[in-house]
Amino acid sequence: MINQFRSKLVENAASILKVPTKLVPVSVQQKVLLEGLKQVFHEALDEGDFEFLEDKWLKVSIIDLELHWFISYQNEKLIVSNKAEVEDVSFSGPLNDLILIAGRKEDPDTLFFQRRLKIEGDTELGLEVKNLMDSVDLDSLPKPLNQALMSLANFVQQGLQKPEIKETINAY
């Protein structure tokens, strides 16, 4: 019963969250995303690993929530915007898949080849973004952030699994 509830919740998460996320002002979305990126990529930012994104724009889209942001690195600072004149590379996918990628429960390459993750534009830049994401040591994240991310990714992963045959038989 709990597994069925979890599966339904994960399956419908984007539908449930779509309206509330639209009510959050874009400026608040941008600030939260920027602060989250700074925490996750603090080492990479300190070491100047974002220079490859200097004056270029990465578009990140959560397609089933109809949300997108543009990320760049300018004057040694990370920038998040809701628009850009030109996007150099774009990463887009459904909410659950992006959570699984962030929690390292799914490989971005696998999802790309399954056409669940789209990477469009400058492929070299896209590869650099992917490699930077892969280089993040999740254990170096603040413990509450790491635990929240792992719990959410585990919840989504378990919710996407097919119910066991035993549960299906008991339902009859």
Side-chain angles (χ1 to χ4, degrees):
M1 180 81 161
I2 292 173
N3 290 337
Q4 289 174 335
F5 175 73
R6 179 187 3 238
S7 292
K8 287 292 183 193
L9 190 57
V10 168
E11 180 183 318
N12 296 304
S15 299
I16 295 166
L17 295 172
K18 195 172 194 176
V19 171
T21 57
K22 293 287 185 187
L23 297 175
V24 177
V26 173
S27 60
V28 173
Q29 291 177 24
Q30 288 173 220
K31 184 165 180 57
V32 169
L33 180 59
L34 180 60
E35 292 308 313
L37 290 171
K38 285 180 181 178
Q39 279 196 7
V40 170
F41 292 105
H42 70 278
E43 288 179 20
L45 287 165
D46 290 345
E47 295 171 9
D49 291 346
F50 272 86
E51 289 178 355
F52 70 90
L53 201 54
E54 184 85 36
D55 297 324
K56 297 186 191 281
W57 288 97
L58 161 66
K59 180 180 181 183
V60 177
S61 300
I62 305 175
I63 54 178
D64 47 358
L65 290 180
E66 297 176 7
L67 293 175
H68 65 271
W69 303 277
F70 295 88
I71 302 166
S72 186
Y73 186 75
Q74 298 174 7
N75 301 321
E76 299 181 10
K77 291 184 180 177
L78 208 51
I79 296 172
V80 175
S81 177
N82 64 330
K83 55 186 160 203
E85 289 181 27
V86 167
E87 65 192 62
D88 296 285
V89 66
S90 170
F91 280 68
S92 60
L95 175 65
N96 288 332
D97 287 341
L98 295 176
I99 290 170
L100 293 173
I101 290 170
R104 304 266 167 78
K105 300 294 180 186
E106 280 283 358
D107 177 52
D109 292 330
T110 301
L111 296 181
F112 174 78
F113 288 114
Q114 292 175 352
R115 298 182 182 196
R116 292 167 51 190
L117 173 67
K118 290 184 183 177
I119 304 172
E120 300 171 314
D122 182 338
T123 54
E124 185 176 331
L125 183 61
L127 185 58
E128 289 189 67
V129 170
K130 182 194 148 319
N131 289 340
L132 182 64
M133 290 171 28
D134 287 342
S135 74
V136 172
D137 178 11
L138 296 181
D139 291 332
S140 72
L141 296 177
K143 194 166 187 157
L145 179 60
N146 184 317
Q147 288 176 336
L149 178 59
M150 291 298 107
S151 294
L152 182 58
N154 285 331
F155 186 85
V156 169
Q157 184 182 42
Q158 292 170 3
L160 292 174
Q161 292 175 351
K162 301 290 181 205
E164 293 180 18
I165 294 173
K166 182 179 175 183
E167 286 184 278
T168 306
I169 291 171
N170 288 339
Y172 288 103

